[in-house]
Amino acid sequence: MKYKFIPVDNKLDKAIAFATTLDSNNIKNVQRIKQRPFYIETLDVVKMFQNEGWLLKGVAEQRGKNRKISSNYVQMQHPDFSILDKNGKTEALASITISNSCNGNSPLNMHLGIFRLVCSNGAVQKDTAAESVIKHTSVDYNRLHQVVANLNNKALVLADTIHDMKHIQLSINDIKRFAFDAARLRFDDLNGVNIDNIFKINRIEDESNDLWTVFNRIQENLTADISNLKTDIKLNQALFELTENYV
């Protein structure tokens, strides 16, 4: 995808410098956005994950139709929840993408997924426990610690799922059907869509036809031109859910 997180090397001050709406004072005094009475700050959640060994890797912001910054995003990775390639090197890491509205009218969302190092794309797993929604209320704030613990457990399960995918080989007919179904997740009309381009190989590392590798080929080709983070996350969730049908 075109949209890139700005790397911050696990440094909170650097994160605020590149994504100023992570500072609630900036939202209120600079952006002049009125927040809900009990607003849960993104950085409070980030600090909870850091205490569990997660590293803050990148930040981003997105503007609304009025050109004001409407949402902020952070990407976190955990070095202990890793996927290894056939040579024993780290191929991917568990990743959590946190999205939060600046005014609190939309809930804070946490999406558990896998960040693949070779092409810097992110697969987001879709299930009810791996996608946590936190409303800006005192009740939801009080359950944040439990949500963080649940996502840690889910990260271990996700790593096992990816391991299983790497051992499932697909036939060319399976791959074409997979690519066709994936294309339908994005396009209402498939006229003019070349299905072969959706599962094409872009690098040597992606020449295998195991489920995990094919999924990453399809995901990269299907989302390459998406610049909206919300759209990208939603499509990634749907793609992973589709992929699980083959496990």
Side-chain angles (χ1 to χ4, degrees), residues 50-99:
Q50 285 180 320
N51 289 337
E52 296 293 330
W54 292 83
L55 304 178
L56 176 57
K57 302 300 292 185
V59 297
E61 292 175 314
Q62 195 152 319
R63 294 183 182 274
K65 293 181 180 179
N66 61 2
R67 302 309 299 160
K68 287 185 177 181
I69 298 173
S70 58
S71 304
N72 54 60
Y73 299 81
V74 301
Q75 185 183 65
M76 307 194 73
Q77 296 170 13
H78 202 301
D80 293 340
F81 302 146
S82 60
I83 306 297
L84 304 181
D85 63 17
K86 61 183 179 181
N87 297 318
K89 295 182 179 180
T90 299
E91 176 185 1
L93 294 168
S95 172
I96 288 177
T97 300
I98 302 172
S99 61

Side-chain angles (χ1 to χ4, degrees), residues 168-179 199 209-211 214 217 246:
I168 297 174
Q169 292 294 318
L170 299 182
S171 67
I172 188 60
N173 288 334
D174 288 335
I175 294 173
K176 288 184 176 181
R177 178 165 57 90
F178 186 6
F199 64 86
N209 285 339
D210 64 85
L211 179 57
V214 172
R217 294 207 310 255
Y246 290 84

